[in-house]
Amino acid sequence: MNRKYLVDTITHEYLCIALKKGQDWMPTNQSILPGFMSTRTPVTEPDSVLLAGEFNDNMFFEKWIRNGTNVFFQY
């Protein structure tokens, strides 16, 4: 399953913001998103610490979780 994440590259906290069901993206964790974003520099700023991306579960696990470089924020 593909998911869209926001990852803070400094704290390594992450938030899943959408998941793909068939051809459609379904938003998730929308109630937590404002609090997550209010403590970080927006992705549109040059000094942003946020990385936005679409990953399938295995790729995200390999890149952020298996290395021990993340702190679980909200899935």
Side-chain angles (χ1 to χ4, degrees):
M1 176 177 292
N2 283 2
R3 302 175 197 269
K4 288 187 180 182
Y5 290 95
L6 288 174
V7 179
D8 185 316
T9 57
I10 301 293
T11 65
H12 299 288
E13 294 175 324
Y14 61 88
L15 179 65
C16 176
I17 57 170
L19 35 115
K20 194 168 193 178
K21 292 189 177 178
Q23 297 296 321
D24 300 324
W25 285 100
M26 306 302 289
T28 60
N29 298 318
Q30 297 303 300
S31 61
I32 298 168
L33 185 58
F36 183 81
M37 293 302 290
S38 69
T39 59
R40 286 146 180 94
T41 307
V43 206
T44 55
E45 299 294 321
D47 60 343
S48 175
V49 297
L50 286 179
L51 171 71
E54 176 186 334
F55 298 92
N56 71 30
D57 291 339
N58 292 338
M59 284 177 58
F60 190 80
F61 178 82
E62 288 293 322
K63 183 167 180 65
W64 293 100
I65 298 174
R66 184 172 165 203
N67 299 344
T69 58
N70 75 297
V71 175
F72 181 75
F73 181 73
Q74 181 76 24
Y75 192 77

